[in-house]
Amino acid sequence: MTQARGSAGPNGETYARHAPGTPCWVSLMVHGLAATQDFYGALFGWEFQPGPQQLGPYARALLDGYEVAGIGQLPPDRHLPIAWTPYLASDDVDLTAETVRLCGGTIGVGPLDAAEAGRLAIGSDPAGAVFGIWQAAGHLGTALTGVPGTPAWNELLTFESVSVAKFYETVFGYEEEPVVSADFDYVSLHIEGRPVAGIHGVGTALPRDRGPHWITYFEVADTDEAVVRLVDLGGHVLKSPRDSAHGRVATVADPEGARFSLIESPRTS
């Protein structure tokens, strides 16, 4: 079990801030908040408690008492894509938001305060992929990683990696590590020498109804078993379980259509 550099645990423990640029939280905005909580609660074992309500009804998901993700309710008149959104840590969300604009991105929400939790903005990169920016105050972000039911990785699916990677490098200070391959367009983004996210250029393989978007991988104990449970709960399988260099992976969607991946990491002896 890893108590990630995140926010409060069940006994009031706190951990260090996430380094700027690190994915520190994932959040989902949906139309049916209660039904979505039931789905993820049954899939991952999450419990829920109220969170800041600046953008409407919002709940934080807890696993063993540790905050791991957030789910909020969209206003009835907002017909936005239902998607998990990673929040990238910042020491100054206003400055980061301005840098996003100067580098060709857009800011759609904020910057604004989320009560005493922190300050946020929601933007998109020049190719249109949406991400959040989080300046922590009382809420530092995900407080637990490395166990089933927690975010394991965030990956951007986009047309091509080079120009978009330059945007994220300029805004958040990443070091890049491209995968040298004639037929695989991939860049790992590093902070302080460790990989924190990836950019995968897939060209015309992008879903036409989505365009470029971030996808969150959630750790599970058994990918195949989790897929069966997901389908029983009303979810959908987009790519069946398959083995990869990082573990057994499946790409799925919840009942409202939010895409995410399940990953069963290789067991270490």
Side-chain angles (χ1 to χ4, degrees), residues 147-257:
V147 299
T150 61
W153 184 247
N154 288 282
E155 188 170 278
L156 173 62
L157 299 182
T158 190
F159 295 110
E160 55 82 28
S161 68
V162 175
S163 62
V164 176
K166 185 61 66 178
F167 165 84
Y168 286 98
E169 177 189 348
T170 304
V171 174
F172 292 103
Y174 298 119
E175 305 108 34
E176 297 179 28
E177 186 176 298
V179 173
V180 180
S181 171
D183 58 357
F184 188 60
D185 178 9
Y186 198 95
V187 173
S188 293
L189 301 177
H190 292 236
I191 293 287
E192 298 173 350
R194 63 189 181 92
V196 297
I199 299 178
H200 190 186
V202 297
T204 56
L206 271 175
R208 289 188 178 182
D209 61 331
R210 292 309 306 265
H213 61 281
W214 283 89
I215 191 161
T216 297
Y217 287 68
F218 291 96
E219 186 76 40
V220 292
D222 184 317
T223 299
D224 296 80
E225 187 276 333
V227 164
V228 171
R229 186 161 70 248
L230 173 133
V231 171
D232 288 344
L233 293 168
H236 309 281
V237 180
L238 304 177
K239 289 186 180 178
S240 297
R242 58 205 182 276
D243 292 323
S244 76
H246 303 288
R248 191 157 174 80
V249 178
T251 307
V252 297
D254 69 20
E256 287 206 23

